[in-house]
Amino acid sequence: MARQSILISGAGIAGPTLASWLLRQGFEPVLLERAPRFREGGYIIDFWGIGFDVAERMGLIPRLREAGYVNDRISFVGRNGGVRSSFGGAAIRRALGDRFLTIQRGDLAHAIYGTIEHRVETVFGDSVKAIEQTPDRVDVGFEHGGWRSFDLVVGADGLHSAVRAALFENHPSVERDLGYYVAVFVTRGYSRRDEHVYLSYAAPGRQISRFALRDDQTGFLFVFARVDGWPDPVHDTASQKRVILENFGHEPWVEWPEIKRHIELCENFYFDTVSQIELPSWSVGRAALVGDAAYCPSLLAGEGSAFAMAGAYILAGELQHAYGDHASAFASYERRFRPFVERKQRAARAFASSFAPKTSLGLVVRDVVLRLGAIPAIADLLMRRFVVDRFELPGYLPGPVGNH
Ligand SMILES: Cc1cc2nc3c(=O)[nH]c(=O)nc-3n(C[C@H](O)[C@H](O)[C@H](O)COP(=O)(O)OP(=O)(O)OC[C@H]3O[C@@H](n4cnc5c(N)ncnc54)[C@H](O)[C@@H]3O)c2cc1C
């Protein structure tokens, strides 16, 4: 039987995970990435649950621990820098054991990519422009590289997926805007460190967080409620800086003047709306979607990269299990994983108002809840309710398609 060729658009978290499992299972994946080269570093993410389980099955945990960080405490500070409320890592470790780590997103992606580098054809600096399906193949038009034919196509190209746009071009709205902007940048030489602490300052409708990284770097995260009249989307760095500075401009936080100086010097941000993706179906014919492209839960879910890895693992496993019968595999992948992801999306929406409370009362309530979290029984209850994944990751037979 000829190996099925599968184009995977997007070399983030889901794309390389899928390519890695497909390669082991005897398929012929081809990765396509719009960026000119692989990007390491970036914003930090917490990583646990079903994503951790998949990474373990890929033998990645030692490398991720080496590249990652220990996040031992989340602290909210007031204007003068004093701690208002705080939540320790002990409760997280009690709930998850030691199966939790903090790592820069690009470093997780790079570790996954390391399992297939030089073994899977990877095209950088191009993008899917058009998809035409026939009963037995998919023809893909590239922005720079003409046309190529594949047996299947998978969009793993993130929140603003080009594959999704090509498949669902007439569908009214798939993006649910949660009403916030997020901006992230990494800077060097920030004077305060607070190692191993995720430190946040919040005012109604806006929050700034920082985390100390290696080599004298600090990662900053801004989440703020969107205001009518701001440009949408905001693409160029100058407008992004303007929106951030207008929003946080007169912040009374003692750290703000130094943060402002670092923003002014910074050359590029990650800047986006906080949104979720909801689709009527995760596949159309011979094309499917995975990760943020299919079911972005937003950063408020805190586990998007885990869901991207788990979805990719299940999709590859179902393709192997169905001997490459894509219709049956795509249906099983969605049937198994969609109910879990939809529950997580609902939970993230419910959490949105407590992540960056829009009123002073909301901030007080959040502080009270976090202080209650210092009581072990309450902390355990919160962890079981919001952090532990209730999903049994399926096992698939090892080895190439046709070996069983
Ligand atoms: C600020 C922030 C904090 C977060 N915190 C956490 C956290 O703590 N824990 C957690 O688990 N998750 C977190 N997330 C979510 C997590 O980062 C995403 O859910 C995860 O990266 C999704 O993986 P993905 O592979 O589907 O998409 P991505 O990681 O976005 O990768 C998509 C890839 O596709 C490429 N691409 C885009 N368009 C095209 C195109 N047209 N053609 C080809 N390639 C293309 C991109 O360059 C990128 O490499 C956070 C997200 C943000 C923004």
Side-chain angles (χ1 to χ4, degrees):
M1 183 167 90
R3 298 207 301 163
Q4 276 191 322
S5 62
I6 304 181
L7 176 71
I8 303 167
S9 169
I13 309 290
T17 306
L18 180 65
S20 186
W21 285 101
L22 287 176
L23 187 69
R24 293 181 193 212
Q25 291 158 352
F27 294 93
E28 192 185 322
V30 174
L31 262 181
L32 169 72
E33 168 58 47
R34 187 179 54 185
R37 64 188 165 281
F38 211 90
R39 290 172 302 176
E40 291 166 64
Y43 53 84
I44 60 152
I45 59 173
D46 289 325
F47 185 65
W48 76 93
I50 53 177
F52 196 101
D53 297 344
V54 174
E56 189 169 55
R57 289 180 194 187
M58 298 173 79
L60 287 174
I61 299 302
R63 184 166 170 192
L64 298 183
R65 287 209 190 280
E66 204 179 309
Y69 295 86
V70 175
N71 178 1
D72 225 18
R73 180 157 289 278
I74 298 166
S75 289
F76 283 90
V77 295
R79 294 171 177 199
N80 298 324
V83 175
R84 282 174 64 141
S85 56
S86 143
F87 194 80
I92 297 177
R93 280 191 293 276
R94 269 201 310 277
L96 301 172
D98 199 23
R99 303 173 72 76
F100 177 93
L101 53 91
T102 296
I103 188 167
Q104 287 178 273
R105 176 204 157 279
D107 294 348
L108 171 61
H110 198 243
I112 302 168
Y113 183 63
T115 65
I116 50 166
E117 194 168 9
H118 309 305
R119 298 198 298 140
V120 163
E121 180 190 346
T122 306
V123 179
F124 286 100
D126 210 342
S127 174
V128 167
K129 199 166 104 185
I131 294 178
E132 286 179 10
Q133 303 204 35
T134 66
D136 56 1
R137 61 167 204 280
V138 193
D139 295 323
V140 178
F142 295 87
E143 241 157 46
H144 304 297
W147 287 80
R148 276 176 73 173
S149 252
F150 299 90
D151 291 301
L152 304 173
V153 170
V154 178
D157 43 1
L159 178 59
H160 306 290
S161 166
V163 172
R164 187 181 69 231
L167 297 179
F168 291 93
E169 56 188 336
N170 295 323
H171 196 264
S173 168
V174 296
E175 189 171 333
R176 185 198 281 258
D177 183 344
L178 299 186
Y180 291 93
Y181 272 131
V182 54
V184 180
F185 78 106
V186 175
T187 187
R188 206 177 284 274
Y190 188 72
S191 65
R192 299 168 204 247
R193 296 282 301 168
D194 301 280
E195 307 282 347
H196 310 303
V197 176
Y198 193 85
L199 188 137
S200 295
Y201 164 84
R206 54 192 192 273
Q207 181 168 312
I208 306 175
S209 308
R210 64 170 166 83
F211 189 80
L213 303 170
R214 292 186 192 95
D215 302 327
D216 198 24
Q217 298 187 93
T218 301
F220 280 93
L221 170 84
F222 303 79
V223 177
F224 48 110
R226 292 174 60 182
V227 171
D228 286 345
W230 280 349
D232 180 27
V234 185
H235 284 309
D236 65 291
T237 308
S239 312
Q240 294 170 350
K241 281 187 188 182
R242 189 168 52 74
V243 167
I244 296 172
L245 292 174
E246 265 178 30
N247 192 69
F248 290 91
H250 306 290
E251 216 53 72
W253 187 22
V254 63
E255 295 196 25
W256 175 245
E258 186 178 357
I259 295 173
K260 196 172 158 212
R261 279 200 302 282
H262 281 265
I263 293 175
E264 280 156 359
L265 293 174
C266 140
E267 283 171 7
N268 53 58
F269 291 96
Y270 169 93
F271 191 106
D272 214 334
T273 53
V274 176
S275 320
Q276 294 185 330
I277 295 298
E278 295 171 311
L279 287 169
S281 162
W282 292 353
S283 63
V284 175
R286 292 180 161 268
L289 298 164
V290 67
D292 277 5
Y295 45 75
C296 178
S298 86
L299 79 135
L300 303 178
E303 254 193 295
S305 60
F307 303 161
M309 282 189 87
Y313 166 82
I314 295 170
L315 176 55
E318 293 299 332
L319 277 165
Q320 181 207 31
H321 188 70
Y323 295 92
D325 171 353
H326 66 276
S328 144
F330 290 171
S332 309
Y333 150 64
E334 189 165 339
R335 197 171 47 244
R336 271 185 189 274
F337 201 43
R338 190 173 179 121
F340 169 79
V341 167
E342 286 183 347
R343 271 200 309 280
K344 292 288 186 174
Q345 286 186 317
R346 280 197 296 277
R349 289 200 293 277
F351 176 63
S353 57
S354 11
F355 190 84
K358 289 186 177 164
T359 62
S360 302
L361 179 63
L363 289 172
V364 171
V365 170
R366 189 210 47 206
D367 287 340
V368 169
V369 171
L370 281 177
R371 278 190 214 115
L372 284 173
I375 302 168
I378 295 181
D380 292 349
L381 193 80
L382 290 172
M383 287 294 118
R384 275 201 303 278
R385 174 98 173 76
F386 297 110
V387 174
V388 176
D389 287 337
R390 281 190 211 93
F391 183 83
E392 181 100 20
L393 206 59
Y396 297 100
L397 289 174
V401 181
N403 272 7
H404 58 95

